[in-house]
Amino acid sequence: MGIAVMVPLFVVVLTNIVLTLARRPIAARLASDPQETPKVAVAPAVTSFHVAILAMSVVFTVMLMLQVLYANPSRVTSVGPVVALVLFAAFYAQARFMSEKMADQAHRGWRIGAARGETAEIYAEVFRARSWILALGLVGPVLVLLALVFFFGALGDVGQMPSGVLLD
C-alpha cells in the first residue's frame, strides 16, 4: 500500500513545486494582458499548493478507512480521523480567514520564479478564492468518522487485513 498511495502524493507535490518555480513563463504565455501576468502567475502556484494538501487528505483517508473497515482497535483508528479533521479544518480556516498572513509568507517565501508585480494582496485574494479546495479535504476525515460509527469491521478483522496495511 505504501508505494500505491505515496507515489501519487509525491507526483502531486512535485507538480506543485514545478508550477511554483515555473509560474513566470507559464503566466507570460497564458495572460492576455501584461498587467494580468502577476495574477495569472499566482493562481497555479496557490492552486497546486491547495491540491497537494487535498492529496494529503486523500492519503490519510485511504489509510485510516482501511483501519476502520478491518476493525483495527488501535489509537490510530480512533484518534486519527479526529486529528485529520482538526488539521484540515485548520488549513481551510487559515486560507479562508487568515489569507493575509499566508499571503505575506507566500509572497516572501516564493520569490524564485515570481512574475513582476506579484503582491501579497494578489496572493491573499487567490488564497481566499481557492480555499474551497481545502474545504474538500474535510470530506475524507468526516467519511472516516462516519465509517467508524457505522461500518467498523465491515470487511473483517485485523487478521484478514491485507499485508502492509496495518498501522500501529
Side-chain angles (χ1 to χ4, degrees):
M1 179 175 107
I3 288 262
V5 170
M6 296 309 282
V7 166
L9 179 62
F10 288 138
V11 168
V12 169
V13 170
L14 185 61
T15 303
N16 172 33
I17 293 168
V18 169
L19 283 173
T20 301
L21 294 176
R23 66 188 183 274
R24 182 181 355 176
I26 291 170
R29 287 190 180 269
L30 295 177
S32 59
D33 181 17
Q35 288 159 335
E36 285 184 13
T37 303
K39 190 169 185 173
V40 173
V42 169
V46 172
T47 303
S48 64
F49 176 69
H50 287 349
V51 169
I53 293 173
L54 180 61
M56 285 188 338
S57 175
V58 170
V59 167
F60 285 159
T61 300
V62 168
M63 292 186 331
L64 291 171
M65 188 65 84
L66 287 170
Q67 304 308 305
V68 168
L69 294 178
Y70 279 105
N72 183 7
S74 72
R75 284 174 279 182
V76 172
T77 306
S78 56
V79 177
V82 175
V83 170
L85 186 65
V86 169
L87 178 71
F88 292 109
F91 288 156
Y92 169 73
Q94 282 181 328
R96 183 76 179 129
F97 305 111
M98 297 173 50
S99 58
E100 289 79 17
K101 286 186 178 186
M102 290 183 68
D104 286 339
Q105 291 175 347
H107 180 62
R108 281 186 273 127
W110 294 350
R111 296 307 309 159
I112 298 174
R116 280 199 173 99
E118 284 185 13
T119 63
E121 291 78 25
I122 294 172
Y123 275 100
E125 182 182 325
V126 176
F127 270 114
R128 274 191 303 276
R130 303 294 193 281
S131 64
W132 64 270
I133 297 171
L134 296 176
L136 291 176
L138 297 170
V139 172
V142 168
L143 289 176
V144 173
L145 285 171
L146 289 173
L148 188 61
V149 173
F150 296 109
F151 300 109
F152 187 76
L155 297 179
D157 61 3
V158 177
Q160 298 168 323
M161 188 179 287
S163 63
V165 176
L166 184 63
L167 297 176
D168 271 336

